Amino acid sequence: MDREGRGDSTGTADDDLAWELLGSAIDYSCPGFDVRRDDVRLPDGTETDYHYVDEPPAVVVLPFVARDGGREELVVIEEWRQAVGRVSHGLPAGTTEPDDDDLAEAARRELAEETGYEADSVEPLLSSEPINGVANAVHHYFVARGCTPTGEQDLDFNESIRVSTTPYDDLFARALGGELRDGRTLLGLFAYAQHHE
């Protein structure tokens, strides 16, 4: 099993906290992710198994619209999230494809597919492992500038998404006020604020 490219190299196999991987298999597959079982040996010698969600890396985009007057606006989405039974408000995001060698290009593609907007420029912001106790997910964040609507959405069969724009300051205030719940959006907004204060 190839685990390259999913995170940094801290906490590697030579660490005395590391678990030894004895074997690995997919227990369940569905569109978007697998449930993987690793057979492992713990540092004290105990052998056991560990299940987690195995999914491709994802890109998350903070897409700033080209506007006159200097007020920054973001392209945002509303998307039905079945796991929590409600509409989630936040940033466009999507998983990468196996042949995605350029994450910035993947971010451009996902932005266009989910929103119909294209960006003049795309720059990396940060990468995170949002729930590394139960999933191997890695989210790569990008800031896209000069975004303009140039086409139609190209959604997957199981995506229900509505697109709009909103002032960055308003979205950030909603995040601070507890109105936004989407973790990818919250991290993206807070990281952007930290890097651009």
Side-chain angles (χ1 to χ4, degrees):
M1 176 180 62
D2 181 10
R3 297 187 184 207
E4 295 301 315
R6 293 206 229 157
D8 64 27
S9 60
T10 59
T12 56
D14 58 355
D15 192 303
D16 63 2
L17 295 177
W19 297 1
E20 180 185 354
L21 181 64
L22 304 175
S24 186
I26 301 297
D27 276 356
Y28 176 76
S29 289
C30 64
F33 65 88
D34 299 322
V35 175
R36 181 175 288 279
R37 183 193 73 252
D38 282 355
D39 297 314
V40 297
R41 182 178 293 117
L42 306 182
D44 68 1
T46 302
E47 293 187 9
T48 187
D49 58 17
Y50 188 83
H51 288 80
Y52 57 94
V53 174
D54 183 0
E55 62 182 6
V59 290
V60 185
V61 187
L62 284 81
F64 287 92
V65 180
R67 290 277 190 250
D68 293 332
R71 188 171 191 199
E72 293 188 307
E73 286 196 6
L74 283 170
V75 181
V76 293
I77 62 171
E78 296 175 289
E79 181 172 10
W80 178 258
R81 291 301 192 186
Q82 183 63 26
V84 292
R86 59 180 160 73
V87 172
S88 179
H89 301 258
L91 300 171
T95 55
T96 60
E97 302 294 336
D99 59 350
D100 280 334
D101 295 326
D102 186 334
L103 290 172
E105 286 305 310
R108 286 179 182 276
R109 182 191 65 236
E110 290 300 322
L111 174 63
E113 288 179 359
E114 289 200 350
T115 69
Y117 279 73
E118 292 187 9
D120 286 342
S121 66
V122 176
E123 298 294 333
L125 178 61
L126 81 155
S127 296
S128 75
E129 298 172 356
I131 48 173
N132 61 16
V134 295
N136 63 7
V138 178
H139 295 168
H140 302 282
Y141 289 76
F142 290 87
V143 176
R145 299 216 177 262
C147 296
T148 53
T150 60
E152 299 291 324
Q153 290 172 290
D154 183 17
L155 300 176
D156 293 337
F157 78 97
N158 60 354
E159 289 181 312
S160 302
I161 294 176
R162 186 167 45 236
V163 181
S164 62
T165 62
T166 189
Y168 167 79
D169 290 341
D170 291 356
L171 193 65
F172 191 75
R174 290 178 62 198
L176 291 177
E179 292 180 50
L180 298 182
R181 301 288 297 275
D182 179 72
R184 293 184 298 195
T185 297
L186 293 172
L187 179 56
L189 289 172
F190 296 152
Y192 179 82
Q194 180 69 27
H195 283 60
H196 295 84
E197 65 179 10

